[in-house]
Amino acid sequence: MLRVRDQRDRAAFARLFGHFAPRVKGFLIRAGSDPAVAEDCAQDVMVTVWNKAHLYDPARASVATWVFTIARNRRIDLARRDRRPEPEDLGWGPEPETAQEDGLVLQQESDRLGVALKGLPEAQRELIEKCYFGDLSHREIADVTGLPLGTIKSRIRLALDKLRHAMG
């Protein structure tokens, strides 16, 4: 990511794309998106990663957290777009604007989540990132890390409890 950010390295971006695009697509499908929409959205997320690479700050978030925050925000944008009423269903006159407030709240929540993730013990944070951002099942994480499946589940459960408490 740093080579993409600092040098606009296309080969590094290709590797980043190959790693994250399928995981973002899987994340979006699990969140309820149609597979074709998830594919388009994943492509859009990765274009955003390329275009906004200069904004990435490793001191604030891991690459996975940053990419999946972009994906989460894009999913919310799509959901809002899909729920927009048809012109004939719109009321007359101006309506109070809340989109800017929603964006601020989402950014604040994303920032809080990033801080909460950083506050987790390293072992728990790595498992959360593998599970929720890396699109790996508990079994796959156990295979990759060599840890017992029960340990994986316990650490993830503890981490989620800590995150719920921090975000509460």
Side-chain angles (χ1 to χ4, degrees):
M1 184 65 211
L2 295 178
R3 288 200 314 263
V4 172
R5 181 190 72 182
D6 299 338
Q7 301 162 7
R8 303 296 286 168
D9 184 326
R10 291 179 185 267
F13 180 71
R15 286 190 302 280
L16 203 67
F17 188 98
H19 178 78
F20 281 108
R23 287 164 173 79
V24 168
K25 179 181 176 184
F27 164 75
L28 295 168
I29 290 171
R30 283 193 311 278
S33 294
D34 175 79
V37 171
E39 176 77 27
D40 290 343
C41 188
Q43 296 281 332
D44 190 41
V45 165
M46 296 311 295
V47 168
T48 300
V49 167
W50 174 259
N51 290 331
K52 296 194 176 212
H54 65 281
L55 298 175
Y56 173 67
D57 180 1
R60 292 188 68 206
S62 70
V63 175
T65 301
W66 189 67
V67 170
F68 280 92
T69 298
I70 292 170
R72 176 183 167 269
N73 291 341
R74 191 63 41 126
R75 182 178 60 81
I76 291 168
D77 292 343
L78 287 174
R80 280 197 187 122
R81 185 192 69 202
D82 291 344
R83 282 184 278 189
R84 286 193 183 133
E86 294 297 320
E88 60 270 8
D89 296 334
L90 293 173
W92 294 97
E95 294 184 25
E97 290 192 26
T98 57
Q100 192 172 30
E101 293 171 0
D102 289 346
L104 179 60
V105 168
L106 286 174
Q107 182 60 49
Q108 290 171 340
E109 286 179 1
S110 294
D111 291 346
R112 285 179 50 213
L113 179 57
V115 169
L117 281 168
K118 283 185 176 182
L120 291 175
E122 181 74 20
Q124 291 176 1
R125 186 178 71 248
E126 285 178 7
L127 294 178
I128 289 292
E129 288 177 352
K130 284 179 181 3
C131 182
Y132 290 95
F133 303 129
D135 195 27
L136 296 176
S137 70
H138 291 170
R139 169 61 57 204
E140 291 169 326
I141 294 170
D143 291 343
V144 168
T145 63
L147 293 171
L149 184 59
T151 301
I152 301 291
K153 290 181 178 184
S154 295
R155 286 183 184 171
I156 289 174
R157 188 172 34 257
L158 287 171
L160 290 174
D161 285 343
K162 288 177 184 177
L163 290 173
R164 267 190 224 101
H165 181 70
M167 298 298 290

